[in-house]
Amino acid sequence: MARKLAVIGAGLMGSGIAQVAAQAGWEVTLRDLTEDALTRARHGIESSLGKFAAKGTLTDDEAAAASGRITTTTDLDAAAEADVVVEAVFERVDAKRELLSTLDGLIKDSAVLASNTSAIPITLLAAATGNPERVVGTHFFSPVPMMGLCELVRGHRTSDEALAVAREFAESTGKTCIVVERDVAGFVTSRLISALVVEAIKLHESGVATAEDIDTACRLGFGHAMGPLATTDLTGVDILMHAMENIYTESRDAKFAPPELMRRMVDAGDVGRKSGKGFYPY
Ligand SMILES: NC(=O)c1ccc[n+]([C@@H]2O[C@H](COP(=O)([O-])OP(=O)(O)OC[C@H]3O[C@@H](n4cnc5c(N)ncnc54)[C@H](O)[C@@H]3O)[C@@H](O)[C@H]2O)c1
């Protein structure tokens, strides 16, 4: 019998996680707050599956079967039958804690409860539940169908069993896992990208080098696929600043404090590609 996954939050990440799991044979329930959000997610998934089919990575039948394995709903109770539940709602501590607490009360005793947070300590989220040993971080990357990494995060009380189930789930979707053994804010990946982006913005704001030259240095000097400032525009200046603030608040380490230029860009609404302007015009 197909294993069951529930994904809570049908935004960019939730719909991507639902898609790769459905492609891997999981029966997926995708939950969001409104039918509009679910319709947008369904369109995004169909369009992504269509592109894979056009490229020949999937047959039309496989794409249709994957799509058919996803059920969308606004009913949180639909998560009750799942073996693995992944939350991918807004990156807000209170919203995630409230959701995990509710889920903990309605899912199966044996189910694993995973969070796709990119920076919030798993231990802080798990503490909102009565079963912190089954809470684990599964940090996927955007766009989920394209990116090969899943960063698994062990909270202070996460059990070996929950970590193993999370690994098995992520690997079943074709991802390679790294394990964050000690639960620090930002984990490995968000800490690394935050430190690089902070320094890139400081070099830019103090006139040491242009945004283009800083990005060129990272692409041609280090072999990065994209420079840090172009990456920031793609992710969203506001999204990265918020992640940095979480890491800075938690770690009290000044190297994660968002630089002044970043704050002013967010105040002005120049938050990257989605607003038409960030470190570059779009
Ligand atoms: N965007 C990225 O590049 C990226 C990468 C890695 C991790 N993440 C993390 O993934 C999570 C989701 O990010 P995103 O970019 O997909 O956000 P998003 O804003 O695209 O989507 C969030 C969705 O959650 C829904 N939602 C909010 N509360 C809900 C609830 N109680 N039940 C069901 N749905 C609810 C919203 O309606 C929205 O559709 C965040 O924790 C984020 O930090 C994002």
Side-chain angles (χ1 to χ4, degrees):
M1 214 172 66
R3 286 162 306 166
K4 294 188 171 144
L5 174 76
V7 181
I8 314 301
L12 185 69
M13 297 305 291
S15 54
I17 294 166
Q19 179 186 328
V20 296
Q23 286 177 239
W26 288 73
E27 234 174 68
V28 182
T29 299
L30 179 59
R31 193 257 180 172
D32 208 299
L33 301 171
T34 63
E35 289 296 344
D36 274 0
L38 293 169
T39 302
R40 272 195 305 276
R42 178 64 81 180
H43 284 151
I45 291 169
E46 298 295 343
S47 152
S48 174
L49 288 170
K51 283 183 195 149
F52 283 119
K55 270 196 294 188
T57 319
L58 286 178
T59 65
D60 288 341
D61 284 352
E62 284 166 342
S67 176
R69 280 192 282 271
I70 300 173
T71 306
T72 55
T73 181
T74 54
D75 179 11
L76 192 61
D77 289 345
E81 294 304 314
D83 303 299
V84 176
V85 180
V86 180
E87 76 74 19
V89 304
F90 304 127
E91 186 77 346
R92 285 204 290 268
V93 175
D94 290 349
K96 286 188 188 286
R97 278 174 57 93
E98 189 184 331
L99 174 64
L100 290 180
S101 166
T102 308
L103 283 168
D104 186 43
L106 69 87
I107 63 176
K108 292 196 293 195
D109 286 348
S110 58
V112 163
L113 198 42
S115 171
N116 192 57
T117 177
S118 40
I120 302 169
I122 295 302
T123 309
L124 181 62
L125 299 179
T129 74
N131 297 288
E133 59 286 343
R134 67 156 143 184
V135 181
V136 59
T138 49
H139 181 199
F140 288 84
F141 290 76
S142 174
V144 182
M146 305 297 295
M147 302 299 275
L149 183 67
C150 180
E151 185 175 34
L152 299 177
V153 186
R154 188 195 280 281
H156 199 65
R157 293 209 184 150
T158 303
S159 68
D160 290 345
E161 292 73 21
L163 197 71
V165 170
R167 177 188 283 279
E168 204 254 331
F169 158 61
E171 288 180 348
S172 79
T173 68
K175 306 305 175 197
T176 298
C177 296
I178 64 160
V179 180
V180 180
E181 292 287 359
R182 202 164 55 77
D183 185 15
V184 291
F187 319 135
V188 169
T189 53
S190 296
R191 282 173 95 97
L192 285 174
I193 190 66
S194 294
L196 180 63
V197 165
V198 166
E199 192 54 32
I201 296 175
K202 284 183 175 168
L203 288 168
H204 176 49
E205 77 183 348
S206 60
V208 173
T210 62
E212 287 86 351
D213 280 358
I214 291 164
D215 280 348
T216 299
C218 290
R219 283 189 294 105
L220 302 187
F222 304 145
H224 293 182
M226 252 179 131
L229 299 175
T231 302
T232 304
D233 276 358
L234 181 64
T235 306
V237 183
D238 52 338
I239 302 287
L240 253 182
M241 188 177 92
H242 189 56
M244 280 176 195
E245 276 170 345
N246 279 336
I247 301 172
Y248 175 60
T249 304
E250 171 78 14
S251 66
R252 312 281 164 102
D253 184 336
K255 73 168 170 286
F256 297 114
E260 204 167 347
L261 173 62
M262 188 177 213
R263 295 181 171 285
R264 292 298 88 79
M265 287 171 73
V266 172
D267 291 344
D270 293 344
V271 291
R273 282 191 191 210
K274 62 189 171 191
S275 71
K277 189 169 187 298
F279 291 97
Y280 299 93
Y282 295 93

